[in-house]
Amino acid sequence: MHGEFSTSGFSDALVVLGAAGIIIPAFTRFRISPVIGFILIGIFVGPFGLGALTHSYPGLNYVSISDAERIEPFAELGIVLLLFSAGLHISFRRLQAMRHTVFGVGSAELIGSAVLISGGLLAFGVAPQPAIALGLALSLSSTALVLPISGVEGPVGRSAFAMLLFEDLALVPMLFAIEVIGGHAEGREFIRTALLAIVLVAAMLAIGRLALPSLFAQAARAKNPELFLAISLLTVILASLATSAVGLSPILGALIAGILIGETDYHAEVETIVAPLAGLALGIFLITVGMRIDLRTVTQEWPTILGAAAAVLIAKAIVTTLLLRVSGSRRAVSVETGILMASPSETSLIVISAAAGAGLLAASEANFWTTVTAIGLTVTPLLAKLGRFAGKRAAAQHLADELDSTVEGAKLGQVFVLGFGRVGRIVAEMLEAHGKDYLAVDADIDGVAAARADGYDVLFGDVSRPEFLKRLAKREPSAFILTMDNPVLVGRLTRALRKAFPDLPIIARARDTSHASKLYRAGVTDAVPETLEASLQLSEAALVDLGVAMGPVIASIHEKRSELRARIMQEAELDEIPALGRRLRDVQTSPAGSNRSTPAV
């Protein structure tokens, strides 16, 4: 008896939970998405991995699962908790606030992807019902993977969240349609099941709105997090039992339970409490997905599997990117979001399983597309990196075109501010305050976009590239101000600028006096050490607060700055200021600079 117990349900739970417990911290430590690890560990310990060797080595029963049917309870548990978590993100208030994006772009993205994928399957000879089911399943994207990567604050995150929100909402009618149509119900039976489902959902929404706020209020008064968890799990169980009673899937009830709790004022607290449970559920589910993958089949059919996976990724990326562009999103946001949303979802596997259980898909078809979806889930973190890279390239190309046109049409004699972070912004504001024309350049695409939105004259560009410096030379710049917080880059850029523009003033930000000495040797006209200026400003503020008159304080600060500057130049072993011994103000009166507008820095 004891031996049988230790190698049955208890052993299976140990394998699944133990694998999840190992993968999560291991992959988190190396900052790698655990999705790949979950699926790989499922393949390794599943019926097609170590489980296939249990007949020869019985001891492997304790660290593997050899029977595919023994996976199902864990898969169902993971699915129920996943759909409950998905339902928590859906509320009528959120839908009302984001209705245009959710029901506009979100619905168009889901329908467009489903139509394109279904059409492709029909073209390859798949029957209409399986093609439609697969099109709907594969058009879904992963909420559990995409949102942690993209967040919800930036433009990419907001776009992805709106589409994912509609997809989560669409799961209700999608699963309902598969359950009803796949149940082979005809005529009166079909109508009866549909009416029962509608009445049940309406009743659950009504009862949930009345009962759940009171129950959660009692839990809040008791200040007991366990009560929140208990009420949530009770809601999931009751909703799953109710949907099962009318002939629908219990996972549909779990999704409705999440929606009911998402409608209350306590959904944020519940989301926080069940977050670890949801993460574990995702791990369990992905492990069971890996256990279903037969590597021998993948090896034999790898061209077809990889081709199908690539076709799905490309189709979804194209549809999402085009729809976002049409809706007015920037090119970079559209490209990054489209690639990020390209892979299928964990809910795709749920829909595929539901379609197979309802008889819409044969077992071989379900296994094939489960493998395709698993591959898509595995590469989601890679797609996120590819999306960021492609988005930056798209934005860089767009701004590079602007750079070419703007530099070619820029005024002669502008001050070029290279680097546009916090320091660069202040420099630009001071130049504007004194009527000096400037053009700023920075290599951070996001920073450039934000600065341009705020009205600054800034462009994207890599100032260290020789061809960029050649384009600048045509505009006869009057001076360069280097504000980057990168000592190596500032030094390298100073040498390149001094070689290309031997007569122009170059003012550079230095980290400290030692860095300033190196910059003077590299050819700057003025180096401004951060540590020195901070000390002088502290001294000025202290003296003024102590009652010393402002005039003498400013004079002494200037005197101290000149003294320290002379000491830095002495350390740099320089007898005179670079740029042919001229300061920036001297350029205004020199013959070479008579036609330029230069700042008094």
Side-chain angles (χ1 to χ4, degrees):
M1 175 81 61
H2 177 74
E4 292 177 0
F5 175 76
S6 64
T7 57
S8 58
F10 181 80
S11 177
D12 296 343
L14 181 64
V15 170
V16 175
L17 295 176
I22 293 171
I23 291 299
I24 292 175
F27 276 69
T28 301
R29 178 180 178 84
F30 295 102
R31 298 182 179 179
I32 300 174
S33 172
V35 173
I36 300 174
F38 284 133
I39 294 176
L40 290 179
I41 203 69
I43 296 173
F44 182 69
V45 303
F48 303 105
L50 290 179
L53 304 176
T54 54
H55 293 295
S56 303
Y57 305 95
L60 291 177
N61 274 308
Y62 294 95
V63 292
S64 66
I65 295 179
S66 57
D67 186 358
E69 293 183 0
R70 284 157 50 187
I71 303 171
E72 296 307 318
F74 300 101
E76 188 170 351
L77 172 64
I79 290 170
V80 166
L81 293 176
L82 275 177
L83 284 186
F84 171 65
S85 300
L88 288 175
H89 292 96
I90 303 172
S91 71
F92 295 114
R93 282 172 290 186
R94 282 183 177 178
L95 294 176
Q96 176 67 19
M98 303 176 65
R99 60 187 182 278
H100 297 297
T101 309
V102 172
F103 293 102
V105 179
S107 61
E109 183 268 339
L110 180 63
I111 295 171
S113 298
V115 168
L116 186 58
I117 294 171
S118 298
L121 292 171
L122 288 171
F124 278 91
V126 179
Q129 281 191 335
I132 293 172
L134 287 170
L136 290 171
L138 297 171
S139 63
L140 298 170
S141 300
S142 176
T143 301
L145 300 183
V146 170
L147 283 186
I149 293 173
S150 66
V152 294
E153 301 299 327
V156 173
R158 288 193 296 269
S159 300
F161 179 68
M163 290 183 284
L164 291 169
L165 190 58
F166 181 83
E167 290 179 4
D168 289 341
L169 188 64
L171 273 177
V172 177
M174 197 180 295
L175 291 173
F176 170 75
I178 287 175
E179 288 288 332
V180 174
I181 297 173
H184 305 290
E186 297 180 0
R188 293 181 180 179
E189 184 66 24
F190 179 91
I191 296 173
R192 177 179 173 277
T193 304
L195 289 176
L196 276 175
I198 293 171
V199 171
L200 175 64
V201 171
M204 291 169 66
L205 291 174
I207 295 172
R209 283 200 168 197
L210 291 174
L212 287 177
S214 299
L215 290 173
F216 281 125
Q218 293 298 327
R221 292 188 187 98
K223 297 181 179 180
N224 191 340
E226 287 79 5
L227 285 178
F228 279 95
L229 181 59
I231 295 170
S232 301
L233 293 178
L234 178 63
T235 305
V236 173
I237 293 170
L238 291 176
S240 299
L241 289 174
T243 52
S244 299
V246 298
L248 299 176
S249 171
I251 62 178
L252 183 60
L255 180 64
I256 295 173
I259 296 173
L260 291 175
I261 295 175
E263 272 295 290
T264 68
D265 294 330
Y266 305 93
H267 67 90
E269 179 70 15
V270 175
E271 286 181 26
T272 302
I273 292 172
V274 303
L277 202 59
L280 180 62
L282 176 63
I284 293 173
F285 179 67
L286 292 176
I287 288 172
T288 60
V289 170
M291 289 180 178
R292 293 189 180 99
I293 297 175
D294 186 350
L295 289 180
R296 288 173 295 183
T297 302
V298 174
T299 304
Q300 294 169 359
E301 302 181 12
W302 69 266
T304 308
I305 292 173
L306 292 182
V312 170
L313 297 179
I314 293 171
K316 292 182 65 179
I318 291 174
V319 169
T320 306
T321 301
L322 291 178
L323 285 173
L324 287 173
R325 284 293 290 159
V326 170
S327 68
S329 297
R330 290 186 288 114
R331 184 191 304 175
V333 173
S334 302
V335 171
E336 182 175 349
T337 309
I339 296 176
L340 177 62
M341 296 278 290
S343 64
S345 170
E346 64 280 354
T347 48
S348 300
L349 297 167
I350 297 171
V351 177
I352 290 172
S353 298
L360 295 177
L361 291 176
S364 59
E365 291 176 311
N367 290 335
F368 176 85
W369 289 106
T370 294
T371 303
V372 170
T373 304
I375 291 174
L377 284 169
T378 304
V379 301
T380 300
L382 302 179
L383 289 176
K385 293 182 179 181
L386 177 62
R388 282 192 290 268
F389 174 77
K392 287 186 176 182
R393 287 293 299 270
Q397 184 59 48
H398 175 69
L399 290 178
D401 296 339
E402 289 190 10
L403 176 65
D404 289 334
S405 60
T406 306
V407 170
E408 291 300 324
K411 297 178 183 178
L412 297 180
Q414 284 182 313
V415 177
F416 278 84
V417 180
L418 308 183
F420 208 72
R422 290 173 296 177
V423 175
R425 286 191 176 217
I426 294 174
V427 170
E429 290 169 1
M430 293 303 297
L431 290 172
E432 281 189 341
H434 291 275
K436 302 303 178 182
D437 193 17
Y438 76 92
L439 181 63
V441 184
D442 197 278
D444 179 6
I445 180 61
D446 296 322
V448 170
R452 288 172 64 85
D454 292 338
Y456 291 98
D457 192 8
V458 56
L459 297 172
F460 173 84
D462 185 356
V463 294
S464 63
R465 297 176 62 182
E467 54 268 30
F468 177 75
L469 296 180
K470 291 179 182 178
R471 287 205 298 268
L472 291 186
K474 298 178 181 179
R475 298 298 93 198
E476 299 184 10
S478 59
F480 292 99
I481 304 177
L482 281 58
T483 69
M484 295 84 77
D485 183 21
N486 185 331
V488 176
L489 175 61
V490 172
R492 186 170 67 246
L493 187 56
T494 296
R495 287 187 288 271
L497 288 172
R498 178 54 65 215
K499 183 177 180 181
F501 304 95
D503 298 334
L504 291 188
I506 301 173
I507 301 92
R509 170 187 179 183
R511 183 160 291 182
D512 50 31
T513 55
S514 175
H515 183 215
S517 298
K518 295 177 182 178
L519 292 179
Y520 276 119
R521 286 195 294 270
V524 298
T525 310
D526 277 299
V528 183
E530 294 175 346
T531 53
L532 185 150
E533 288 301 317
S535 301
L536 293 176
Q537 289 180 38
L538 283 170
S539 302
E540 179 182 338
L543 290 170
V544 171
D545 289 343
L546 290 171
V548 181
M550 178 67 74
V553 169
I554 293 177
S556 64
I557 291 294
H558 281 295
E559 182 179 349
K560 190 65 176 178
R561 181 181 289 113
S562 298
E563 177 187 335
L564 292 172
R565 184 173 177 276
R567 190 183 303 170
I568 293 170
M569 293 189 63
Q570 185 178 2
E571 292 177 4
E573 299 179 350
L574 296 174
D575 295 328
E576 63 175 6
I577 303 166
L580 299 184
R582 292 182 296 146
R583 300 295 302 276
L584 182 54
R585 60 176 177 267
D586 299 329
V587 181
Q588 292 178 312
T589 58
S590 66
S594 58
N595 64 335
R596 298 172 183 159
S597 174
T598 56
V601 176

